[in-house]
Amino acid sequence: MIDSAGIAFQIVQSIFVAATAPLLLGWVNQCRAWLQNRSGPGVLQPYYVLRRLFHKEAVLAENASPLFWATPYILFGCMWLAGGIVPVLATDLPFAPAADIIALVGLFALARVFVSLAALDIGTAFGGLGARREMLVGFLAEPAMLMTLFTAAFISGSTQLTTIVESLAHREYAIHPSLAFAAVAFLMVLLAENARIPVDNPATHLELTMIHEAMILEYSARHLALIEWASAIKLYAYMTIGIALFVPWGIAEGSDWGALPFALLALLVKLAIAGAGLALIETVSAKFRVFRAPEFLSTAFLLAVLGMLIHFLVSP
């Protein structure tokens, strides 16, 4: 039953996700700078960038259709909804019934389709190049993502992310080799879906390497700010999905406000470690050629399928 406390908890969680997503991105960039012996721009730099972009006047191409200017709002809405329904701080919130793993993958795919269509809308060469590469990455990453999520779903007996978290967090400690394979596959999908090294480089503007940046070159001001903010929320959502699947301990149950401080502390510690780990991976890795992305994602799919097969082989 949905009560006022649950609705309030859901609103707090949704606002918390949108507000802290740029902070996570700033933390990853700062850690990468430290690992490269640079001082770095500071963890608050993404907030400064968003503020600067929101204060600029938006410029649109003359031949841009309504799809082009509507896409940033749709993209931000999809990512915020995805971040809101993932059990970040608590389970069994009002949006929990919508947190089906298949629906989550569909939500990410919907956002990808709109961004790709907007990149093709104004007919530039870079937009078409980026859209084709983005669809290639999505075509290969989504099956691997689904296989990864299904492995955890088979263990818990449900495709509801909330049920998976409650099942894995409260059962007796046990080693699941299938989850180890799924975790490695999920990490590879996370890197590809969030335009991180080695599949993409969010800081590059080179024709031969960029994927995500090629699709948003024609955006400016508030439209670009919404896209950048949505990208930060997407990275946040993927990391919290990984936390929910593989280290779910510490998440509050229902609308228990008394458990909120511990859940918040546990989440911040996990995100700090995950962000530092992501920065380490990007520091020791080199950007792949675009043509090697299929090999990378095929390996992720293979590992995810192996994890699922191992579950069926070792489960009683």
Side-chain angles (χ1 to χ4, degrees), residues 116 119-121 123-134 214-215:
S116 300
L120 295 170
D121 182 65
T124 61
F126 276 110
L129 178 145
R132 289 195 297 272
R133 291 176 176 177
E134 177 71 10
M215 297 189 297

Side-chain angles (χ1 to χ4, degrees), residues 253-309:
E253 296 182 36
S255 52
D256 184 7
W257 288 91
L260 178 60
F262 180 73
L264 182 61
L265 178 62
L267 176 67
L268 292 178
V269 171
K270 292 174 188 174
L271 286 178
I273 296 173
L278 177 59
L280 178 62
I281 292 173
E282 292 192 302
T283 302
V284 301
S285 302
K287 169 74 174 66
F288 283 163
R289 294 177 62 194
V290 173
F291 303 110
R292 291 193 59 190
E295 299 175 14
F296 182 81
L297 291 169
S298 298
T299 304
F301 180 77
L302 178 61
L303 289 172
V305 172
L306 282 175
M308 187 180 299
L309 293 177

Side-chain angles (χ1 to χ4, degrees), residues 220-241:
S220 62
R222 63 179 182 278
H223 297 137
L224 182 58
L226 286 173
I227 292 174
E228 296 291 348
W229 199 352
S231 298
I233 296 176
K234 183 178 181 181
L235 176 63
Y236 196 101
Y238 264 84
M239 283 196 172
T240 50
I241 291 173

Side-chain angles (χ1 to χ4, degrees), residues 28-102:
V28 173
N29 293 337
Q30 185 63 54
C31 288
R32 191 168 57 181
W34 285 336
L35 291 170
Q36 296 172 352
N37 290 326
R38 296 187 288 111
S39 59
V43 295
L44 299 180
Q45 181 62 25
Y47 293 103
Y48 300 145
V49 173
L50 292 179
R51 185 183 63 179
R52 175 170 54 82
L53 290 174
F54 274 119
H55 281 81
K56 288 189 174 183
E57 181 181 359
V59 177
L60 294 173
E62 293 182 356
N63 58 338
S65 72
L67 173 69
F68 183 78
W69 61 260
T71 292
Y73 300 96
I74 297 173
L75 176 62
F76 182 81
C78 289
M79 292 303 110
W80 195 9
L81 179 60
I85 63 178
V86 173
V88 176
L89 293 173
T91 60
D92 199 22
L93 294 180
F95 284 179
D100 183 89
I101 55 177
I102 301 174

Side-chain angles (χ1 to χ4, degrees), residues 125-126 129-134 136-137 191-192 194-215 217 286-294:
F126 276 110
L129 178 145
R132 289 195 297 272
R133 291 176 176 177
E134 177 71 10
L136 172 65
V137 170
L191 295 173
N194 290 277
R196 313 300 301 191
I197 294 173
V199 178
D200 195 3
N201 186 350
T204 186
H205 283 84
L206 299 176
E207 177 185 354
L208 292 177
T209 60
M210 62 181 177
I211 298 177
H212 178 73
E213 287 297 314
M215 297 189 297
L217 284 177
K287 169 74 174 66
F288 283 163
R289 294 177 62 194
V290 173
F291 303 110
R292 291 193 59 190

